[in-house]
Amino acid sequence: MKVDNKVDEICELPTPKRDTELRQVWRHLRRNRLAMIGLGVLLVFLLCAIFAPLLTGYDPIKIDLGNAFKLPSTENLLGTDWQGRDVFTRILYGSRISLAIGLISVTIGMLIGVPIGALSGYYGGRFDLFIQRIIDILIAFPGILLAIVVVTVLGVGVENVMIAVGIASVPIYTRLVRGSVLAVKEQGYIAAAKALGIGDFRIIMRHIMPNCLGPIIVQSTFQIATAILWAAGLGFLGLGAQPPDPEWGAMLSKGREYIRTAHHLTTYPGLAILFMVLGFNLIGDGLRDALDPRSRKHK
Amino acid sequence: MKKYLVLLLVSIFAIGLLVGGCGPAEDVVDEVDDVTDELEDVVDGGQDLVIAIGAEPENLDPLKMMSAPAATVAEHMVETLIYLAVDGSLEPALAESWEPTEDGLAWDLMLREGVSFHDGSPFNAEAVKLNLDRFMGKGDFEGEAAVYAFLLSEVDEVEVVDEYLVRLHLNQEFAPIAAHLSHSFIGMHSPASLEALDAGQYVEAPVGTGAFKYAAWDRGEQIVMEKNEDYWGGAPELDTVTFKFVPEASSRVIMLETGEAHAIMAVPPTDIERLNDLEDIDVVFENSVRVIYMGFNMEDEKFEDVRVRQALNYAIDKEAIIATTFQGVGEPSSAPIVPAVFGYTKVGPYEYNPEMAMELLAEAGYADGFDIELFHPTGRYSQDATVTEAIQAMLAEVGINATLTTYDWGTYLDTVIVPPEQAEHDVYMLGWGTVTLDADYGLYALFHSSQWPPANNVSYYANADVDALLEEARVTPDRAVREALYSEAIELIWNDAPWIFLHNEGQVNAVRSNVKGLIHHPLENILAWDASIE
């Protein structure tokens, strides 16, 4: 028991250092103007998603045919659509769908991809070979295509899009984590931990994974952007959210019919997708610089 | 660039003359004619007409045809015995005249002489018998009958009297027989082409007598047909006619504006005004004989209660859909058939009254509403998906939560026109054009209990009183009596509400102004045999 305690103490030593590291990252990030713009954009979307009912008096689903095709005005900030629904309201509520798809699908991808990658990298050998060949096959498909295949099998709908996009991002995480694990596991302190008789599980969780966190966080930020784009693409193709859900891709697709007479039905959902994806990409760029100790020192 | 092509062709011609030396004089004249024709084609851009429509024919075999897109395409290649003209009159086509025998139990069809099929074989009484037998699944074709075989259900036997005289023997007097023979699905195909088919194989490249010959069918893309030089009615001016399948209405409009298509069907209502203002485009308004409806799956226990079915009729604001989604083109349905059809009686529309709808639902024990699966096509009918979305929202107002499912047209038909035990839908959207302009076709086919899928009573409606009225009306020669019988049947059907009665379609097509002679038919066909490009 005593030995175990000591080991725990040793393991927890880096904790205070991590705190200061977090602070360093934040300090660095704060100086990055583009990343801050990205963060601001995302915060706006997040607030819109959470407080949508407070920001608008309209219902995103309820139709009002008498008010269809209204151009943007003080009454309907971004106009109304073919069923007389307020476009601004639908975009607000749509940010809920997009953020949810982004976050949940990335979580799914991470939950599956990270452990597989870690085990594959840590154990190596035949197991690694087997897993990596499967990943090769998955990577051979463009992600959106893989997602379309999965949706076709599971059926259309927001939930299935989350799963599909999640599965499509598994190979990315597996590769990323395997690479990091391969680099870390050769370090002296891992050999030391092994020599102390610490179990594989603990070594992976306590000593290897923390060192892979940086790349995972950065990749996740980009991956959320990609997931949102893929989901909008699936919605555009009619494979994602189904009517009457105010999903941006679906709004864009349907709005195209009226692009010659009521362009606001495509312009604004398009801009919403653009800004959200841009936001995640900017913050991802910033995080990548901030989490890399070398680039921190350079500046 | 065309200039260079002309120069090139002229020089090839000149070299050909030089090399060929002095042939017989007539040959040279022919050659000159041929080359001149070719040059003209190159110079005027040719007479190649492109029409963009929303849905692809599900099939071109008379046994399997089910929709107006199939009819539109087929009519260019394959002709019927009788032609229903734009004004609703029956005109001679492959039959020059038709009349009943004295007792009304047989009809004599005098056939047009000197007509031949695209494969060169002659059109005659034998060919008619073979085609009709195959359609009915009788005689040599015992077994599979056409989906639309009910059109000829009263025909007992087809007799070849002489080479150009056919006698149809009926089971009993059948009033609408001539109108039924005008149906586009009863087209005359070359006997050789039909006999060449194996069991379970269907016509893919029709060989008919029409003004155009089949050239190619790229699935999902287009069907190309070329001029029949030997057409009995005189060769058409157009060299080719191409039907392109473009489900998205806005894409069709863009094709028209860029000149990629010469004519399009089903112009989106929001584009009508804009297109009307364009100089080189004409917008054509034409009536339609089509009603659009949402049918209930009446074998579903939710829809067993007539109050529920009526409630859903009261829940839909047809006027608002017409005013907004169709920008005023069309009208709410006031009967299961449109006013232009013989036998029509005005019984509706169901007024928009959501309170009444909720009361009726509560009475039927559905105060909290229920969930339904609603299936609809996209691109087949004008604004079909948009209308469905509006209906979904209106149903939600009375507590009914509809999940929408859509497929491309062919798959859609295969999915909803199925026996009750295979039905995945609770409610489905379809339209029906009474293309014979006789109520028998609009009512018998959709509401008689003998017409459950694979035929067209997709709601599984069965009412013995309606059955009896429809049966009597189709064998009664007296028009006034028939009218009274149909009126009674329509009243019963309306109150039984096997559908949510939606609207009578209006047709809006658009054509480039340099195209002349296109026929816009109330049967929702665009016909190009008299057309030309200026």
Side-chain angles (χ1 to χ4, degrees), chain B residues 77-79 116-119 188-190 206-210 212 228:
Chain B
M77 302 178 277
V78 178
E79 293 178 289
S116 54
F117 289 101
H118 298 154
D119 61 5
M188 295 296 130
H189 289 246
S190 147
V207 182
T209 57
F212 292 92
N228 174 9

Side-chain angles (χ1 to χ4, degrees), chain A residues 61-69 81-85 90 156 242-245 253-254 256-261, chain B residues 248-250 253-254 257 268 270-271 274 317 320-321 324-325 327 383 385-387 389-390 392-394 397 402 404:
Chain A
I61 306 285
K62 209 171 155 176
I63 67 170
D64 178 8
L65 286 176
N67 268 320
F69 300 115
D81 70 3
W82 52 94
Q83 307 282 21
R85 297 170 298 206
R90 284 175 69 74
V156 297
Q242 294 300 303
D245 286 348
S253 168
K254 178 78 184 166
R256 224 167 17 135
E257 277 179 38
Y258 311 101
I259 197 162
R260 310 290 289 274
T261 44
Chain B
E248 213 157 284
S250 54
V253 172
I254 292 169
E257 286 181 72
T270 44
D271 277 317
R274 198 174 56 80
D317 190 351
I321 292 176
T324 300
T325 311
Q327 302 280 304
Q383 302 295 306
T386 312
V387 169
E389 214 183 290
Q392 179 190 38
M394 291 171 186
E397 294 286 298
L404 308 186

